[in-house]
Amino acid sequence: MKYNTYIFDLDGTLLDTLQDLANSVNYALRQYGLPEHSLDDVRRFVGNGVRLLMERAVPDGAQHPQFEAVFATFRQHYMEHSLDTTRPYEGIVETIHELKQRGCRLAVVSNKMMAATQELVAHFFPEIEVAIGEHEAAGIRKKPAPDTVYEALRQLGLVVGGLPADAVYVGDSDVDIATARNSGLPCISVLWGFRDKPFLLEHGATTFVSTPQELLTI
């Protein structure tokens, strides 16, 4: 194997979280009499953190007079329902276990809320050592800034005199491609997530895997 350190995105890469996100989006919109969205709409909205997700979902975005209330309702509902239908993609759990057995270092970086990120990773992937979510209050900017990747590497104890040569970023979106580039890491783009191959190619993807098991051969 070429890599020994894997930095994973969460939503659309390790976990299929789309239905729970859509349910919470529509619950919040419904409470304020706002139009709801289809699953495909929400698929297009995700990837840049929950605030931007809701800015895309609410008419007029952050300019809507009730936006903050809708956003707060979404956050509360999602924290209570983030495990309703969310599941790892087929083959992910086994692949994570095999990487761990081979001595690889594993971390997750996400634009999801910190509490939700850590809860989901602890629940589904206890072998993953570090989970970093939205953490801007601590001066750590969300993706595509490299901050979460650098923080994950720091917590893994691997940033000493520069980035480890055997580290790779794994994600499913244009944001992930940009995050890897900004972090100075190679990127593996997965084809089972929220974005398709033509979209990923358009945004600069160069290396693809069609199944989680393929990560074990790169």
Side-chain angles (χ1 to χ4, degrees):
M1 286 174 57
K2 183 177 179 181
Y3 302 110
N4 192 53
T5 301
Y6 290 78
I7 309 296
F8 290 97
D9 171 55
L10 186 60
D11 295 43
T13 300
L14 298 181
L15 293 177
D16 185 354
T17 57
L18 191 60
Q19 188 65 62
D20 283 338
L21 286 166
N23 289 347
S24 292
V25 167
N26 286 328
Y27 173 84
L29 295 172
R30 196 158 54 245
Q31 304 315 299
Y32 293 88
L34 298 174
E36 299 180 34
H37 292 282
S38 69
L39 197 64
D40 280 342
D41 287 340
V42 176
R43 185 191 305 276
R44 291 192 298 271
F45 296 162
V46 298
N48 296 92
V50 291
R51 186 176 184 87
L52 190 52
L53 163 63
M54 292 308 295
E55 288 182 9
R56 291 165 172 165
V58 173
D60 298 322
Q63 303 306 311
H64 192 285
Q66 293 180 299
F67 175 79
E68 295 299 337
V70 178
F71 182 43
T73 300
F74 162 82
R75 288 173 64 98
Q76 180 177 352
H77 187 272
Y78 186 69
M79 285 304 303
E80 295 171 355
H81 296 274
S82 63
L83 291 171
D84 286 1
T85 67
T86 288
R87 296 292 183 272
Y89 288 101
E90 183 176 356
I92 282 290
V93 171
E94 294 81 3
T95 298
I96 292 294
H97 178 70
E98 180 60 26
L99 289 172
K100 191 68 175 179
Q101 290 296 108
R102 295 182 184 187
C104 295
R105 308 299 303 277
L106 309 174
V108 164
V109 296
S110 175
N111 280 341
K112 186 186 291 294
M113 296 172 287
M114 176 68 86
T117 298
Q118 294 185 333
E119 178 183 355
L120 289 167
V121 171
H123 181 81
F124 288 109
F125 309 110
E127 291 179 300
I128 291 180
E129 302 162 69
V130 171
I132 307 292
E134 186 181 52
H135 203 46
E136 292 190 12
I140 298 174
R141 297 168 297 169
K142 69 180 182 180
K143 302 185 294 183
D147 301 27
T148 53
V149 173
Y150 293 162
E151 176 64 15
L153 291 169
R154 186 191 68 78
Q155 291 190 27
L156 289 171
L158 294 175
V159 180
V160 180
L163 292 171
D166 63 352
V168 66
Y169 186 101
V170 183
D172 76 304
S173 74
D174 54 321
V175 174
D176 295 314
I177 296 165
T179 302
R181 181 172 58 247
N182 293 337
S183 304
L185 296 181
C187 183
I188 298 173
S189 296
V190 308
L191 296 178
W192 56 80
F194 296 164
R195 303 289 187 263
D196 60 20
K197 188 172 184 178
F199 179 93
L200 295 170
L201 282 168
E202 181 182 342
H203 288 84
T206 58
T207 304
F208 300 92
V209 289
S210 299
T211 67
Q213 291 83 357
E214 290 178 45
L215 290 170
L216 302 173
T217 66
I218 294 179

